[in-house]
PDB file of all heavy atoms in Angstrom:
ATOM      1  N   THR A  14       2.497 -62.397  14.623  1.00 98.00           N
ATOM      2  CA  THR A  14       1.681 -62.723  15.875  1.00 98.00           C
ATOM      3  C   THR A  14       0.871 -61.533  16.275  1.00 98.00           C
ATOM      4  O   THR A  14       1.054 -60.519  15.722  1.00 98.00           O
ATOM      5  CB  THR A  14       2.645 -63.080  17.053  1.00 98.00           C
ATOM      6  OG1 THR A  14       3.093 -61.865  17.660  1.00 98.00           O
ATOM      7  CG2 THR A  14       3.842 -63.929  16.649  1.00 98.00           C
ATOM      8  N   PRO A  19       7.466 -54.429  22.917  1.00 91.00           N
ATOM      9  CA  PRO A  19       8.019 -53.136  23.224  1.00 91.00           C
ATOM     10  C   PRO A  19       8.473 -52.503  21.932  1.00 91.00           C
ATOM     11  O   PRO A  19       8.948 -53.182  21.018  1.00 91.00           O
ATOM     12  CB  PRO A  19       9.112 -53.364  24.200  1.00 91.00           C
ATOM     13  CG  PRO A  19       9.472 -54.827  24.046  1.00 91.00           C
ATOM     14  CD  PRO A  19       8.268 -55.576  23.467  1.00 91.00           C
ATOM     15  N   VAL A  24      18.636 -49.311  15.076  1.00 79.00           N
ATOM     16  CA  VAL A  24      20.086 -48.878  14.914  1.00 79.00           C
ATOM     17  C   VAL A  24      20.114 -47.759  13.946  1.00 79.00           C
ATOM     18  O   VAL A  24      19.281 -47.730  12.966  1.00 79.00           O
ATOM     19  CB  VAL A  24      21.049 -49.945  14.622  1.00 79.00           C
ATOM     20  CG1 VAL A  24      21.376 -50.816  15.788  1.00 79.00           C
ATOM     21  CG2 VAL A  24      20.504 -50.862  13.451  1.00 79.00           C
ATOM     22  N   VAL A  34      13.931 -42.248   2.912  1.00 33.00           N
ATOM     23  CA  VAL A  34      12.763 -41.411   2.529  1.00 33.00           C
ATOM     24  C   VAL A  34      11.398 -42.100   2.816  1.00 33.00           C
ATOM     25  O   VAL A  34      10.399 -41.481   2.871  1.00 33.00           O
ATOM     26  CB  VAL A  34      12.798 -41.163   1.036  1.00 33.00           C
ATOM     27  CG1 VAL A  34      13.932 -40.195   0.816  1.00 33.00           C
ATOM     28  CG2 VAL A  34      13.078 -42.417   0.234  1.00 33.00           C
ATOM     29  N   ASP A  38      12.646 -41.880   9.975  1.00 38.00           N
ATOM     30  CA  ASP A  38      12.397 -40.501  10.088  1.00 38.00           C
ATOM     31  C   ASP A  38      13.657 -39.774  10.589  1.00 38.00           C
ATOM     32  O   ASP A  38      13.557 -38.595  11.025  1.00 38.00           O
ATOM     33  CB  ASP A  38      11.134 -40.104  10.885  1.00 38.00           C
ATOM     34  CG  ASP A  38      11.354 -40.533  12.366  1.00 38.00           C
ATOM     35  OD1 ASP A  38      12.384 -41.016  12.739  1.00 38.00           O
ATOM     36  OD2 ASP A  38      10.411 -40.354  13.153  1.00 38.00           O
TER      37      ASP A  38
ATOM     38  N   TRP B   7       5.490 -36.541   6.068  1.00 95.00           N
ATOM     39  CA  TRP B   7       5.755 -36.757   4.643  1.00 95.00           C
ATOM     40  C   TRP B   7       4.599 -36.170   3.905  1.00 95.00           C
ATOM     41  O   TRP B   7       3.425 -36.603   4.145  1.00 95.00           O
ATOM     42  CB  TRP B   7       5.915 -38.227   4.253  1.00 95.00           C
ATOM     43  CG  TRP B   7       7.235 -38.813   4.628  1.00 95.00           C
ATOM     44  CD1 TRP B   7       8.211 -39.147   3.796  1.00 95.00           C
ATOM     45  CD2 TRP B   7       7.674 -39.296   5.833  1.00 95.00           C
ATOM     46  NE1 TRP B   7       9.188 -39.776   4.394  1.00 95.00           N
ATOM     47  CE2 TRP B   7       8.962 -39.893   5.707  1.00 95.00           C
ATOM     48  CE3 TRP B   7       7.041 -39.375   7.149  1.00 95.00           C
ATOM     49  CZ2 TRP B   7       9.676 -40.440   6.800  1.00 95.00           C
ATOM     50  CZ3 TRP B   7       7.817 -39.851   8.179  1.00 95.00           C
ATOM     51  CH2 TRP B   7       9.091 -40.432   8.014  1.00 95.00           C
ATOM     52  N   ASN B 241      17.686 -48.835  10.644  1.00 82.00           N
ATOM     53  CA  ASN B 241      16.493 -49.610  10.411  1.00 82.00           C
ATOM     54  C   ASN B 241      15.276 -49.026  11.298  1.00 82.00           C
ATOM     55  O   ASN B 241      14.282 -49.726  11.419  1.00 82.00           O
ATOM     56  CB  ASN B 241      16.647 -51.115  10.774  1.00 82.00           C
ATOM     57  CG  ASN B 241      16.935 -51.290  12.305  1.00 82.00           C
ATOM     58  OD1 ASN B 241      17.198 -50.383  12.982  1.00 82.00           O
ATOM     59  ND2 ASN B 241      16.788 -52.508  12.742  1.00 82.00           N
ATOM     60  N   TYR B 302       5.085 -58.544  17.856  1.00 97.00           N
ATOM     61  CA  TYR B 302       6.283 -59.350  17.412  1.00 97.00           C
ATOM     62  C   TYR B 302       5.839 -60.057  16.184  1.00 97.00           C
ATOM     63  O   TYR B 302       4.753 -60.647  16.154  1.00 97.00           O
ATOM     64  CB  TYR B 302       6.582 -60.429  18.423  1.00 97.00           C
ATOM     65  CG  TYR B 302       7.150 -59.931  19.761  1.00 97.00           C
ATOM     66  CD1 TYR B 302       6.442 -59.957  20.920  1.00 97.00           C
ATOM     67  CD2 TYR B 302       8.472 -59.490  19.802  1.00 97.00           C
ATOM     68  CE1 TYR B 302       7.016 -59.525  22.127  1.00 97.00           C
ATOM     69  CE2 TYR B 302       8.946 -59.014  21.010  1.00 97.00           C
ATOM     70  CZ  TYR B 302       8.298 -59.054  22.119  1.00 97.00           C
ATOM     71  OH  TYR B 302       8.843 -58.691  23.292  1.00 97.00           O
ATOM     72  N   TRP B 313      16.019 -57.608  19.892  1.00 93.00           N
ATOM     73  CA  TRP B 313      14.693 -57.002  19.661  1.00 93.00           C
ATOM     74  C   TRP B 313      14.844 -55.413  19.620  1.00 93.00           C
ATOM     75  O   TRP B 313      14.322 -54.866  18.648  1.00 93.00           O
ATOM     76  CB  TRP B 313      13.588 -57.464  20.561  1.00 93.00           C
ATOM     77  CG  TRP B 313      12.390 -56.639  20.293  1.00 93.00           C
ATOM     78  CD1 TRP B 313      11.970 -55.570  20.922  1.00 93.00           C
ATOM     79  CD2 TRP B 313      11.426 -56.893  19.222  1.00 93.00           C
ATOM     80  NE1 TRP B 313      10.792 -55.038  20.356  1.00 93.00           N
ATOM     81  CE2 TRP B 313      10.514 -55.869  19.323  1.00 93.00           C
ATOM     82  CE3 TRP B 313      11.392 -57.781  18.168  1.00 93.00           C
ATOM     83  CZ2 TRP B 313       9.433 -55.813  18.437  1.00 93.00           C
ATOM     84  CZ3 TRP B 313      10.308 -57.792  17.263  1.00 93.00           C
ATOM     85  CH2 TRP B 313       9.363 -56.689  17.357  1.00 93.00           C
TER      86      TRP B 313
END
Side-chain angles (χ1 to χ4, degrees):
Chain A
T14 79
V24 281
V34 289
D38 66 3
Chain B
W7 281 258
N241 67 345
Y302 289 110
W313 176 262

